Amino acid sequence: MRKRSSSSLVVKVVFIFIASANGVLAQQQMPPIGLEQFRDNISEIESSREKLDQYLEASMRFAPQMPDSVFTLAEEVRNLKGLEPEKQEAYYLFVLANAWRTLNKDSVVYYAEQATQKLRNLGEHDSYLNMTNLLGMELSRQKDVLKADSVFKNAIAYTHTLEKVDYPVKYIYGNLGSLYSMVGAHDLAINMYERFLDMEDNPGDRCNINSKLAVSLSELSEYEQAIKLLTPCLEYQQLPPPIQCIVRSNLSRMYDEIGDKDRSFALMKEAVTISTNNRIPNLEISQLIELGIKYLEAGKLQEADSVKNQLLNIKGRINPHFNIDRNIFFADLELSQNDYRQAIHYANQAIELAERSRLQQILKNIYLTRAKANEELGDIDNALADMRLHSELEESKHNRKTEENLAMMNVRYQLQNKEAQLLTVSDQLQTVKVRELVIILLLVIIGLYAMYRYRLHYLLQEVNTRNRIARDLHDDLSGTLSSISFFSEAAKRVKPDAEKSVRYLQMIDKSAVEAKDKINDIIWAIDPANDDWSVFLNKCKRFAADAFDSKDLEYEIKIGDNFTAPASLELRQNLWLIFKEMVNNLVTHSEADKASINFVQKEKTICLEVKDNGVGFDAGEETDRHGIKNIKHRAEQIGAKANLISSQGQGAIWKMELDL
């Protein structure tokens, strides 16, 4: 006996008990009431809002069995007193969407789309989410997967903008998981089901979702994990009977996949017992058919015949899909029992039902069954005709399956690509946030370090300035003050000799003036008011002119006015002392009658030249003159080069260049 796939039954059973589009109210079993009784129940309610809530509850209760009554409720909502016109219109559309649920799928989508837009604009958060869930469910049934996915995700994103949500968002996650499962995107489905479980504590709802999660794991061949997940649900005695059936039938299929036939049979028998005892429509028939097929596959014809009798005893209207499956099972059973005419009878019934309901795609191998029966009866022509029909049906199913697989593969790719893009965007946003935080921290650290370095720089500058002033005072004044002290002692010793005393007193006066000039130079250098080239250059010009005039020299002083270098304290002080020393040496030692000074900036170089036509000297010889050493030392301090050109009888030229 060939093995028949039961995967379609798995999916069918899973989707029968999906979370309702209308939330918690549709999850609860409510006692049936008529329209008149409903009106009597709300007649005493004064609050228009409470009345509206009752109408919404009734629209969801009446929709499956009494859709005509829901249209009446819609008109009453439209004329409900005490509600703003915008709310009347929004909830009128809400009730109409429920009214069309069992009548016309396109109308459900039309009214649900209008209702969701108006409810969202009104800030009716829970009703908006309720209607969005219904819209997503209807789009899922119509196989408009991408649009349904977008609707569900927009609803979830909307909840993130709210401080408080009363609507059970878990059902949106559950329906989104079922949508992904339908197209084979089981990895995404598992993620949605797990989110549902994070929000649910009720054992019944948890086992319902665990059943779906286990099916998705099975589709990924994770049978052991699926069984481990679902097995604890067998211990819950208070589960609703439909959930008990789903748990056992799904576990039965999983044990069958791993080769544990005995456990598979036992669980399926338990599922059939529960569905039969509780008379659960659709589930009872589907699970009896599945159990019967298992018996046929195992060669247990007597048990399979017993299942057939149970199926024949089920009265009432049977879903066409299950009725076709039932007749296919009967045909296979009769063929196995060599009752070929009965096999053909049931095969004909299955084919007739399929053609009438346009469900030829679920006929499976029914033509092959009828061909074998005709062959056994010697009707070769009909057997060949059935074989041809079987081949055509198989080819048609193969082509349709291929098209569906390609379409579903494309949808899965788009869904997974969309999910990957969302994850990528989320990761990028997280990365940007981390990067921004790191940048801010680095900027703060750099800012603090810069402030520290700035403060340290000026502290060090202050210390260096103080040290330099102290050094200059020591270097420039210590010798002069020592001379004054020496000359004072000498004057005391030669006090009786008036001529010598006068000479020492003159020396003291000269040293005191010299000390005063040096102190003035230091004070001038550190005065911020003199941090300007024009002030500095004017001082140089006046000093040189006064010195040359005192010796009645013929002179030329050329000082530029295009100096652009920063006039720092250290630079000004050293340049001034260098300039002053050069001029003093010329006036004191050169015995010249002509002198010239050229002090300019050429591009990025400061050039100073001091020239005389005096007696000169051999510049290459060692000398004990401190003036020359001081000039060269101070030039080195500011990074300048100072050269002295002189020979006997040829005067002297000082040249200094400072690259900025």
Side-chain angles (χ1 to χ4, degrees):
M1 176 62 64
R2 61 193 176 280
K3 182 175 181 179
R4 293 159 51 98
S5 171
S6 59
S7 60
S8 62
L9 288 174
V10 175
V11 175
K12 186 164 29 179
V13 169
V14 167
F15 283 99
I16 286 172
F17 293 94
I18 193 166
S20 167
N22 291 301
V24 173
L25 294 174
Q27 298 294 308
Q28 300 170 347
Q29 293 186 356
M30 302 177 185
I33 63 171
L35 189 57
E36 292 303 321
Q37 184 181 346
F38 165 74
R39 286 174 176 153
D40 290 340
N41 290 344
I42 67 169
S43 61
E44 301 298 325
I45 299 176
E46 296 182 0
S47 167
S48 57
R49 184 72 213 195
E50 288 183 23
K51 276 190 177 182
L52 176 62
D53 291 339
Q54 292 297 317
Y55 273 109
L56 300 181
E57 179 183 332
S59 73
M60 292 181 277
R61 182 186 304 185
F62 292 164
Q65 304 297 331
M66 303 165 59
D68 291 341
S69 298
V70 183
F71 287 105
T72 303
L73 294 177
E75 291 299 327
E76 293 181 11
V77 167
R78 197 174 201 177
N79 299 305
L80 190 60
K81 294 180 180 179
L83 286 182
E84 300 89 337
E86 295 83 1
K87 283 190 178 180
Q88 286 177 333
E89 182 65 19
Y91 282 107
Y92 166 72
L93 296 169
F94 181 105
V95 176
L96 274 183
N98 277 309
W100 285 107
R101 278 170 54 195
T102 58
L103 301 175
N104 187 294
K105 58 186 180 182
D106 292 329
S107 295
V108 178
V109 172
Y110 174 77
Y111 288 112
E113 285 180 335
Q114 291 192 64
T116 52
Q117 183 176 355
K118 291 181 180 297
L119 290 166
R120 180 164 183 167
N121 291 340
L122 290 169
E124 296 288 306
H125 308 310
D126 293 329
S127 297
Y128 163 74
L129 293 171
N130 191 324
M131 192 55 27
T132 302
N133 198 22
L134 171 61
L135 176 60
M137 283 290 295
E138 196 55 50
L139 290 169
S140 298
R141 292 191 186 99
Q142 296 181 23
K143 304 293 178 63
D144 194 345
V145 177
L146 294 177
K147 190 172 180 180
D149 172 69
S150 180
V151 167
F152 285 133
K153 283 185 175 173
N154 286 341
I156 291 170
Y158 181 75
T159 64
H160 295 159
T161 66
L162 306 176
E163 292 183 4
K164 182 183 178 183
V165 182
D166 292 326
Y167 182 81
V169 183
K170 61 189 177 184
Y171 290 120
I172 299 177
Y173 282 110
N175 288 333
L176 188 54
S178 297
L179 175 69
Y180 291 151
S181 180
M182 181 179 72
V183 298
H186 295 289
D187 52 340
L188 300 180
I190 289 169
N191 182 261
M192 293 299 109
Y193 291 144
E194 287 175 342
R195 293 192 184 189
F196 181 104
L197 293 171
D198 289 340
M199 305 177 189
E200 183 56 72
D201 296 324
N202 180 272
D205 286 340
R206 286 187 66 84
C207 287
N208 183 20
I209 292 297
N210 274 332
S211 292
K212 300 171 188 178
L213 178 53
V215 169
S216 289
L217 288 169
S218 297
E219 292 293 335
L220 298 175
S221 300
E222 299 286 347
Y223 300 112
E224 296 292 346
Q225 187 178 347
I227 290 171
K228 183 179 179 181
L229 176 72
L230 203 50
T231 298
C233 291
L234 296 174
E235 305 300 323
Y236 294 121
Q237 300 300 319
Q238 303 302 318
L239 289 180
I243 305 301
Q244 293 184 44
C245 292
I246 292 174
V247 168
R248 284 160 176 79
S249 59
N250 282 341
L251 278 171
S252 172
R253 298 179 193 105
M254 294 165 196
Y255 277 111
D256 191 51
E257 290 291 344
I258 63 174
D260 191 341
K261 303 297 181 182
D262 292 338
R263 185 63 174 150
S264 177
F265 263 112
L267 287 165
M268 186 56 72
K269 287 177 184 177
E270 289 180 20
V272 168
T273 300
I274 295 169
S275 62
T276 302
N277 290 342
N278 291 277
R279 308 301 296 177
I280 304 172
N282 296 323
L283 262 183
E284 179 184 8
I285 298 172
S286 67
Q287 291 180 343
L288 276 169
I289 293 171
E290 192 169 355
L291 180 60
I293 292 170
K294 281 182 174 291
Y295 283 137
L296 277 177
E297 291 173 350
K300 298 180 179 182
L301 300 184
Q302 186 175 352
E303 290 85 347
D305 196 57
S306 175
V307 170
K308 175 189 172 184
N309 291 330
Q310 288 180 263
L311 286 167
L312 289 171
N313 289 329
I314 295 176
K315 306 300 181 184
R317 187 175 181 275
I318 300 175
N319 181 290
H321 197 141
F322 293 129
N323 207 359
I324 293 167
D325 281 338
R326 183 176 71 162
N327 280 286
I328 292 173
F329 164 62
F330 290 167
D332 285 340
L333 175 60
E334 297 300 339
L335 182 64
S336 299
Q337 293 176 330
N338 301 325
D339 191 342
Y340 305 119
R341 294 191 186 282
Q342 278 295 95
I344 292 172
H345 167 72
Y346 287 121
N348 289 339
Q349 283 194 332
I351 293 168
E352 182 183 347
L353 282 168
E355 289 174 348
R356 193 162 60 232
S357 304
R358 297 181 180 180
L359 292 170
Q360 290 91 335
Q361 71 273 13
I362 70 168
L363 283 174
K364 303 183 179 70
N365 296 318
I366 193 63
Y367 288 113
L368 186 60
T369 298
R370 195 169 72 174
K372 288 182 178 180
N374 279 318
E375 183 182 3
E376 293 294 337
L377 292 172
D379 191 349
I380 303 302
D381 290 338
N382 281 330
L384 290 173
D386 284 334
M387 288 299 295
R388 185 176 64 255
L389 289 171
H390 173 73
S391 298
E392 290 174 358
L393 180 62
E394 286 298 306
E395 184 178 358
S396 174
K397 287 195 297 184
H398 175 74
N399 291 338
R400 187 183 298 108
K401 188 68 175 176
T402 301
E403 291 175 2
E404 288 179 356
N405 285 341
L406 287 173
M408 289 302 180
M409 189 181 300
N410 182 47
V411 170
R412 279 199 303 273
Y413 171 77
Q414 292 184 62
L415 287 173
Q416 289 167 341
N417 188 50
K418 188 176 178 182
E419 194 73 14
Q421 288 177 344
L422 289 173
L423 289 172
T424 301
V425 169
S426 178
D427 290 342
Q428 287 175 344
L429 286 173
Q430 190 64 29
T431 302
V432 168
K433 289 179 182 177
V434 172
R435 188 184 299 130
E436 287 178 349
L437 182 61
V438 171
I439 290 172
I440 291 171
L441 284 173
L442 285 175
L443 288 174
V444 170
I445 292 171
I446 291 170
L448 291 173
Y449 181 72
M451 290 174 64
Y452 164 75
R453 292 293 301 177
Y454 179 83
R455 175 66 177 161
L456 182 63
H457 169 75
Y458 278 96
L459 286 173
L460 290 175
Q461 192 175 48
E462 182 181 346
V463 170
N464 290 335
T465 301
R466 289 177 178 178
N467 289 337
R468 185 167 58 254
I469 292 171
R471 185 172 59 251
D472 289 343
L473 287 172
H474 177 270
D475 293 345
D476 293 343
L477 296 181
S478 60
T480 303
L481 295 176
S482 296
S483 298
I484 291 174
S485 176
F486 172 77
F487 292 143
S488 296
E489 291 296 325
K492 291 176 183 178
R493 287 197 302 271
V494 296
K495 188 174 181 181
D497 189 338
E499 184 179 345
K500 287 185 178 180
S501 294
V502 170
R503 184 162 61 87
Y504 284 127
L505 289 173
Q506 289 175 341
M507 289 180 179
I508 290 171
D509 180 66
K510 181 181 178 182
S511 295
V513 171
E514 186 179 334
K516 174 179 171 294
D517 289 342
K518 289 180 178 179
I519 291 173
N520 286 338
D521 287 342
I522 293 172
I523 292 172
W524 178 87
I526 63 176
D527 187 351
N530 299 319
D531 289 349
D532 184 82
W533 279 111
S534 60
V535 175
F536 172 77
L537 295 173
N538 284 333
K539 179 179 174 66
C540 292
K541 191 172 185 179
R542 284 197 305 272
F543 175 79
D546 290 344
F548 293 156
D549 285 338
S550 68
K551 291 294 185 179
D552 198 23
L553 297 180
E554 182 182 342
Y555 62 89
E556 179 183 6
I557 301 174
K558 182 180 179 182
I559 295 181
D561 57 1
N562 63 334
F563 284 73
T564 58
S568 65
L569 185 152
E570 183 179 7
L571 178 63
R572 286 187 297 105
Q573 184 181 14
N574 282 296
L575 277 177
W576 166 246
L577 293 175
I578 290 170
F579 182 87
K580 184 178 178 182
E581 191 71 45
M582 288 180 177
V583 171
N584 281 335
N585 285 346
L586 186 154
V587 170
T588 305
H589 304 295
S590 69
E591 299 180 17
D593 56 7
K594 290 183 180 181
S596 66
I597 295 176
N598 191 18
F599 196 2
V600 296
Q601 179 176 329
K602 297 178 181 179
E603 294 182 354
K604 293 186 178 182
T605 303
I606 293 176
C607 301
L608 172 61
E609 180 182 278
V610 178
K611 182 178 179 181
D612 67 69
N613 65 346
V615 295
F617 64 96
D618 188 355
E621 289 184 0
E622 289 291 331
T623 178
D624 57 355
R625 293 179 181 177
H626 294 293
I628 296 175
K629 293 180 180 179
N630 286 341
I631 290 172
K632 291 186 175 182
H633 173 69
R634 292 189 181 279
E636 288 178 2
Q637 283 188 320
I638 59 174
K641 295 179 181 178
N643 294 314
L644 174 63
I645 303 171
S646 181
S647 59
Q648 293 289 344
Q650 300 297 320
I653 303 174
W654 271 107
K655 288 186 177 183
M656 188 196 76
E657 292 184 351
L658 171 62
D659 292 328
L660 301 176

